[in-house]
Amino acid sequence: MPRSSQDVHKKILGRAGEKAVAEYLRSLGYEILKTNYVTPFGEADIVAEDKKRGEIAFVEVKTRSGDDYGTPAEAVGAKKRERYRKIASFYWMQTGQEPNARFDVAEVWPGGKIEYLEYAF
């Protein structure tokens, strides 16, 4: 089924936001371990190591072109949080190590402003 131009726009906007957040995290000294990490339970936008804290951050990136539908973080509901927990467990099984993990949300606003919420859930 062909995608609508709105779907394509959302995909492009989302990928641009993910790229911006990855660069932001690198600037803070994080190592980007995975982007668009696909598992049987879903996809994590970014998996990054916070070397200062010795933690692995599983990052959900929410990019918005406006605030008509609330904040980006408000779009991360219970189902998405549970999916990220399963993704983290799968990551641990794949890597053979169980790191200190946390779940963060990155909000990307028009103009490229990033609000980064550590330990979001």
Side-chain angles (χ1 to χ4, degrees):
M1 175 191 252
R3 289 187 171 173
S4 72
S5 62
Q6 185 178 13
D7 289 342
V8 171
H9 174 73
K10 285 181 181 180
K11 188 63 119 177
I12 292 169
L13 184 68
R15 292 292 186 216
E18 291 166 6
K19 184 177 179 183
V21 170
E23 288 303 315
Y24 172 77
L25 291 174
R26 282 187 190 98
S27 77
L28 296 176
Y30 287 60
E31 179 181 349
I32 305 302
L33 303 174
K34 305 274 185 189
T35 57
N36 307 115
Y37 176 59
V38 177
T39 76
F41 306 104
E43 179 182 310
D45 294 326
I46 299 172
V47 180
E49 183 177 3
D50 180 345
K51 291 183 176 270
K52 293 176 188 171
R53 294 185 182 154
E55 296 174 331
I56 302 295
F58 292 84
V59 184
E60 171 69 7
V61 178
K62 288 296 190 185
T63 306
R64 292 289 187 265
S65 57
D67 60 2
D68 295 341
Y69 300 102
T71 69
E74 290 172 338
V76 182
K79 284 184 179 183
K80 178 69 81 170
R81 292 190 302 266
E82 181 59 28
R83 186 174 305 135
Y84 261 79
R85 288 182 186 96
K86 289 177 180 178
I87 291 167
S89 294
F90 186 82
Y91 179 84
W92 298 330
M93 285 179 13
Q94 260 195 338
T95 61
Q97 59 184 351
E98 188 168 339
N100 290 331
R102 68 175 199 243
F103 302 96
D104 299 349
V105 174
E107 298 179 327
V108 182
W109 293 94
K113 179 182 173 191
I114 296 172
E115 291 187 34
Y116 193 78
L117 309 168
E118 294 178 340
Y119 309 99
F121 58 92

